[in-house]
Amino acid sequence: MRSANLLNDFAFKYVFGEDCKEANDALKSLLTVFLERKVNKVVVKNSEIVKDFK
């Protein structure tokens, strides 16, 4: 099995798109690191994972 590439939409949504505190906290932490500023709230829109892709 290939390792997941987090730049891939499917992998990103799988890791960060779930509607739970852990996924939301992980996404806030990731954005805080990249943006170099505190992120207090994130909302993931269109978190649906498309299962039929090539």
Side-chain angles (χ1 to χ4, degrees):
M1 183 174 159
R2 290 184 350 195
S3 61
N5 178 351
L6 291 181
L7 297 177
N8 178 293
D9 189 50
F10 176 82
F12 186 88
K13 287 178 180 179
Y14 184 80
V15 174
F16 298 110
E18 190 174 341
D19 188 21
C20 68
K21 182 179 179 350
E22 292 81 8
N24 193 273
D25 288 346
L27 181 54
K28 285 190 292 189
S29 295
L30 177 73
L31 291 172
T32 296
V33 169
F34 282 115
L35 298 174
E36 297 180 345
R37 48 176 52 171
K38 180 74 174 155
V39 175
N40 295 314
K41 181 179 177 183
V42 294
V43 176
V44 177
K45 295 184 177 182
N46 188 18
S47 62
E48 177 184 345
I49 297 175
V50 179
K51 296 181 186 207
D52 185 28
F53 64 95
K54 292 182 181 189

